[in-house]
Amino acid sequence: MRHGKKVNHLGRKTAHRKSMLANMACSLIEHKRINTTVAKAKALKGFIEPMITKSKDDTTHNRRIVFSRLRQKEAVTELFRDVAAKVGDRPGGYTRIIKLGNRLGDNADMAMIELVDYNEIYNADKKSKKTTRRSRRGGSSNTVTPPVAKTNNEEEE
């Protein structure tokens, strides 16, 4: 039974798992989206979302906590400078996992994990939508039909 065991070990020892998640998190911060397996994407989501939350409050203490987990100065700088500015008003849910299908070699379930605010395709629709509420009833009933042009034969009669 696996009562109370919330960590997916991903078939790795603790040090290897922490290093792998740190490297994947740095890649996600740098490239804004990465392709990986579904299990690793779910583990990465639980790893990086608390750090993005900490990056919203730029203090020395938070930078040190995040650096102790990420271990790359450039990634920490980009997280606190660029990513935190984009997600400043979002209360959570900074990443999105999209399942892609199975990998050809070993048939593993693949997924793309991305930072939500950096996806231009989804965010373009959200900004262009109008916020006015419309009635579910049909449009105006007195629509005007355009006049039909008469042919030469009809004009002579």
Side-chain angles (χ1 to χ4, degrees):
M1 289 188 282
R2 56 176 308 275
H3 295 301
K5 295 184 176 147
K6 296 180 181 176
V7 177
N8 186 355
H9 294 291
L10 301 172
R12 288 161 173 81
K13 304 279 184 181
T14 304
H16 185 188
R17 186 174 58 252
K18 287 181 179 177
S19 296
M20 182 190 67
L21 288 173
N23 288 333
M24 288 174 64
C26 292
S27 296
L28 181 63
I29 291 167
E30 179 184 353
H31 300 292
K32 310 305 184 245
R33 82 173 44 136
I34 56 173
N35 290 339
T36 183
T37 61
V38 173
K40 287 179 189 173
K42 288 179 179 178
L44 180 61
K45 184 172 186 138
F47 180 83
I48 198 165
E49 292 220 357
M51 289 191 283
I52 295 174
T53 303
K54 287 191 184 309
S55 73
K56 289 161 69 169
D57 183 25
D58 191 2
T59 62
T60 305
H61 182 62
N62 284 344
R63 279 184 179 262
R64 286 177 176 167
I65 290 171
V66 170
F67 180 75
S68 71
R69 309 244 353 236
L70 285 183
R71 306 180 206 150
Q72 286 187 18
K73 187 190 287 188
E74 297 81 18
V76 173
T77 303
E78 187 168 351
L79 176 66
F80 275 84
R81 183 181 302 144
D82 301 332
V83 177
K86 276 242 184 182
V87 301
D89 56 341
R90 183 179 288 276
Y94 311 110
T95 57
R96 174 187 297 126
I97 297 174
I98 300 171
K99 295 185 180 178
L100 299 176
N102 295 342
R103 187 162 50 195
L104 285 177
D106 58 356
N107 209 28
D109 289 333
M110 296 299 289
M112 176 178 65
I113 182 167
E114 65 183 1
L115 294 175
V116 171
D117 291 312
Y118 283 91
N119 190 328
E120 296 86 17
I121 297 169
Y122 287 134
N123 291 342
D125 295 341
K126 302 261 190 319
K127 291 180 183 175
S128 66
K129 281 187 180 178
K130 294 183 180 179
T131 58
T132 59
R133 184 179 170 127
R134 295 185 181 165
S135 169
R136 292 186 63 184
R137 289 182 278 150
S140 60
S141 60
N142 41 349
T143 58
V144 179
T145 58
V148 179
K150 295 182 179 181
T151 61
N152 291 338
N153 296 338
E154 292 175 358
E155 289 177 4
E156 293 174 1
E157 294 177 4

